[in-house]
Amino acid sequence: MAAMSAPPREAFRLSQLLYDARYRSLTIQVIASILIMLLLVELVNNTVTNLAALGKDISFGFLWTTAGYDINQQIIPFTSQDTHARAALVGILNTLVVAVLGCILATIIGVLVGVLRLSKNWLVSRLMGVYVEAMRNTPLLIWILIVFAVMTEATPQPREFREGGSASMILWDSVAISNRGVYIPRPVWGEGSGLVVAVFLLSVIGIFFLRAYARRRQEATGDQLPVLWMSLGLFFLPALLAFFALGRPIGLELPELGGFNFTGGIQVRNSFIALWLALSLYTSAFIAENVRGGILAISKGQTEASFALGLRPNRTMQLVILPQALRVIIPPLISQYLNLTKNSSLAIAVGYMDVRSTLGGITINQTGRELEGMLLLGIFYLITSLIISSFMNLYNSNVKLKER
Amino acid sequence: MSETHAQTVGFVRGQMLPPAPPPVGQSGPIRWIRENLVSNWFNAILTVVSLFVIWWLLSSILPWTLNGIWNAGSLAECREIRDARGLESAACWAVINERWLQMLFGFYPIDARLLATLFYSEQLAAAGGVEAIFGAGADSTARIEFVAQMRADLGNTIVFFFGYWRPLLALALLVVAVAPVLYGNLPRKMLWFSLVYLFVAFFLLWGGSVWLPILTAAGFAASFFLARAVSALSGALLGLLAGILFFLLFFFDPLGLVGLDLGLFPVLPHLRAVLDAAVPLGLSFIPSDDFGGFMLAIIIGTSGIVLSLPLGIALALGRQSDMFIINKSSIIFIEVIRGVPLIVWLFTASLLLNYFLPPGTTFDLLLRVIIMVTLFASAYLAEVIRGGLAALPKGQYEAADSLGLDYWKAMRLIILPQALKISIPGIVNTFIGLFKDTTLVVFIGLRDPLGLTNAIRATGEWNGIYWELYIFVGLLFFIFCFFMSRYSLYLERKLQTDRR
């Protein structure tokens, strides 16, 4: 028997590189890497030759030179004397602002529409269906342009707000919607306002402790606390008490008509409103579909089982359906956030100064550094996407069904 | 008990009663309304609110739409007509009526010669005949004046059908070419036409010599059949090499890379010169710069869809592969493309591509855009298809292996048909997204419908108009995207083999 154990060693033949599955993957990979290398070398070589022919070099020194242009929406102070790097930072912040606000509004509308679309009410579900189809099947750019056109062409000029003019401010004379933008009140932080904010933050933290305590208590004794009402009370009451006890330190500066335009308050530009609303409405349709799909994905047996256990409908939703549906909803929801963030680069259509307009637009035009500017822009978007998708992966691994 | 009971019953009905209709409240529209609109107080409130919303929408949209003014020269004129009629609001559809050809085709030139010979022959004869007008070159004043007069006299409809017959024919043939792909019960032979269509469409849209598309198609076909013939004789590997070699010699100049210049390769231009000299056939050449309007969206969208599907499948397989280098390079490609917005890629294509290409290469902007859109969509498709591949049970892969199928056969016959079927909704969504994203080309200077909208809004006559234009463009996109999404539902139902 021992004589048969050693199979004859075959000599290695060249054709085995192609026809033997053990070696073929090696051959393919070597060829592929050679081709990729050749492509990269060719690209780099061409770039170097072309840059040399134009008398350019690759350098990021332009970032530290004076920008020389103004940005009309700034989160952090910026003047035309600041550097291109700071201009890029202002642009990045503007992108993030519109992305975050857009995600919030899109989620609110999307969840509402998605739930209403599942409503048993025939009229409501059809209406929401029309909304979703209309939004999903037309380009985002059209919505941005429509909202922008409405904001600039259909809203009154500031002088219409004068005495005897045709327009008036809304919400007790605090918000003015004009063709130069929407003017909203600006909070004025007076003496002691920090204390109010601190009280508010503390009570928010307190809510978490309250919820944890209520859960422990319920598990120990079976008694349920009215958590919702207590949380709501905790949310509003202490901060309001502190606010009035300290003599109302936080005030509002209302926009007022002075000369040809509004003064005071915060001017929210039409470009921002158009981008924000259009992004939110457009993305909300996709989120609505995700929400609907997530709820439908939970089989009817789950509802029936929980009814059989004697749970009320709202407890069923809260304890049985939602935890399972969220597992289905949240990953696509996060990828919608990602899409919204990337779509915010459509700011170019309305002149909103996001990172593409500052770093990838004016800076490139002024310095002639296309290669470096586009590279930095791409890296910014790539990092943002990777961060958002790593959140998604983290969530996915947390809620994954623990199978044997 | 039951026995005594049976005896106490004096009469048992001997025949069935005829079925009675349900009570009024339990059937028909009343029951439907009760169940679907007012089942409880919350539902009733929702119904009232949505009725109000619908009323509000319709009462503002319908009069505006239906009272629309179709004939006017400018927005001011529209408003005059509206006030003269005493209407509160009226759409100014006149702008669409005047400009719809431009919104559809951009500045694509009309076939003025054909129009003149068909419908304007008397005036053409009066002006001195075909040669006097059309022989003098495109920029001659006589021709420009004659064509402008003819367009005004003939009206948009005739110009649409006969002046733009080339893009229209291309679109009609597109429907024919796509039909066998979309609907499986058409004859399979029609797929050959789908292949040929690529070259036909190129010829119809861009024009030029007829020999370029014919020779290109012939080159592809010859490489393919040569590869097949040689592999039948002496093995698959040699066949593949022969095919590639022929392809390279036909279309490129591989010897030029090593410095040999025989003046013989690539073969294509030589053949073309000979054929052009012998049989000069062709249509007038139209450069990509003249392309525009919704036609541009269809061209970019269709080519992107057709080209990105194979690339997306390849990338998905690459990402699933256990070969290290293939796997990692696919991942890097997909993540980099997906992580950056399309606008940035389009700007890269228009600003930076010249840096990456060999010095002196010029590249058609439309072609660059198509390539970029294709790469972009293929990365998204790859992720969708990867989801489909991952959703297949491992048993399918093992079954294919145990049948002795090699990798490509297993993929082609077992894995991909199932994986693609699972990912149909995602694939179609990606296609819809691609089609909608074609509007972004406006930012790098192509005249897509939205760019033309902006141009129209910038003219003196139509300054201040927006709803009408955006509704028109939006409807065009809606029709196409809605059709695609409905088709994906149909396909899903058709391919559903379980739960019949």
Side-chain angles (χ1 to χ4, degrees), chain A residues 18 29 46-47 50 56 121-122 133 136-138 145 153-154 282 342 345-346 348 370 374 381 385, chain B residues 36 43 47 237 324-325 338-339 341 343 347 354-358 380 436 440 457 466 474 478 482 486:
Chain A
L18 269 180
Q29 293 200 63
N46 283 337
T47 313
N50 285 319
K56 285 184 174 179
N121 191 315
W122 185 84
E133 291 295 343
R136 268 159 42 106
N137 289 321
T138 36
L145 290 174
E153 311 249 353
Y282 181 80
K342 283 187 289 183
S345 57
L346 287 182
I348 184 178
E370 301 97 37
M374 296 305 281
Y381 278 115
S385 315
Chain B
N36 290 299
N43 237 339
T47 306
L237 185 69
F324 182 79
I325 290 180
R338 270 162 46 96
I343 288 197
F347 274 109
N354 278 342
Y355 286 134
F356 301 139
L357 295 173
Y380 279 80
K436 287 187 296 183
L440 302 191
R457 287 179 65 206
Y466 50 99
F478 182 85
F482 193 69
R486 289 298 117 160

